[in-house]
Amino acid sequence: IQRTSQYLQKVIGPEREYHSGDLATVQACDAMIKKHRASIQSVRDLVAHVSWSERQVYRAFDHVCDCTPGDYIRRTHLITARSMIQFPTSGQVRIRDVAREFGYKSLRAFVKDFEMEFDQEPPSSPTRAKKVASSSPQRLLRPAEHQNSSINS
C-alpha cells in the first residue's frame, strides 16, 4: 500500500484534494491492475475484479487522478512495460512479447502508445533502454485506437 501511495502521489501531486474513500478505491484498483495485468485491459475488466460499480470507479479516478480509469490502465501498463524492457529478468526481451503481455494485438499500436507516453520509441537495444530510463512520462495517454491485426512472431 505504501508503494502504491508513493506512486499515486507522483501521479496526482500533493495539492489535489479528494475523499479518502476515492483514494482507497484508486489504490485497490491500482493493485488489481498490477496483479492481473494480463486480464485487465479495460475499465469493464477492472470492475469485474473490484467490488465497486463502474460509475464509482470513474468518479474515484476523476477525483483522485483527474483521468479516466482507462487512461490510468494504459499508463500503468506502459510504465510497467518500459521497466520490463529496460531491466529484463532473463536475457534480452522482445518488444512484441511485451506488447502481447499487455494485451496489444498490434505492435504498431503499442509503439504508438509508447511514443505518446514517453516521446520516444520503445528501445530495441540496451543503450536505448538506458536513454528511455532517464525520461519520465510526459502526459497521460489519450485513448488509443488498437488495431485488430495480430502481432506476427
Side-chain angles (χ1 to χ4, degrees):
I1 298 280
Q2 185 176 1
R3 237 167 110 190
T4 300
S5 296
Q6 290 169 347
Y7 173 75
L8 289 172
Q9 204 61 27
K10 285 181 187 177
V11 172
I12 63 177
E15 67 281 349
R16 282 190 66 85
E17 291 186 27
Y18 45 81
H19 187 271
S20 62
D22 290 339
L23 179 60
T25 300
V26 170
Q27 287 175 328
C29 288
D30 180 72
M32 283 296 153
I33 291 165
K34 290 174 180 167
K35 182 177 180 182
H36 301 286
R37 69 176 175 229
S39 64
I40 296 180
Q41 303 300 321
S42 68
V43 179
R44 186 170 291 162
D45 297 337
L46 175 60
V47 170
H49 283 84
V50 296
S51 60
W52 298 285
S53 70
E54 192 169 321
R55 183 177 175 186
Q56 287 173 302
V57 170
Y58 268 97
R59 183 179 59 85
F61 275 89
D62 182 45
H63 290 168
V64 176
C65 301
D66 196 29
C67 70
T68 68
D71 288 339
Y72 190 88
I73 291 167
R74 274 186 297 284
R75 185 165 195 248
T76 301
H77 283 179
L78 286 169
I79 290 168
T80 306
R82 180 177 70 168
S83 292
M84 289 173 68
I85 294 166
Q86 291 169 341
F87 310 108
T89 55
S90 60
Q92 201 166 6
V93 65
R94 291 177 28 179
I95 304 297
R96 76 180 70 246
D97 294 338
V98 173
R100 276 192 199 121
E101 185 166 337
F102 289 95
Y104 284 86
K105 292 182 172 83
S106 162
L107 180 59
R108 186 180 309 174
F110 175 77
V111 170
K112 179 182 171 187
D113 283 357
F114 194 98
E115 286 176 340
M116 283 181 14
E117 181 66 27
F118 303 113
D119 286 334
Q120 56 191 263
E121 293 180 357
S124 55
S125 69
T127 306
R128 287 195 58 207
K130 288 178 183 173
K131 201 186 251 188
V132 172
S134 65
S135 70
S136 61
Q138 300 299 316
R139 60 192 167 280
L140 284 174
L141 293 175
R142 285 174 263 155
E145 294 182 18
H146 296 283
Q147 299 175 357
N148 290 331
S149 62
S150 50
I151 300 174
N152 298 324
S153 298

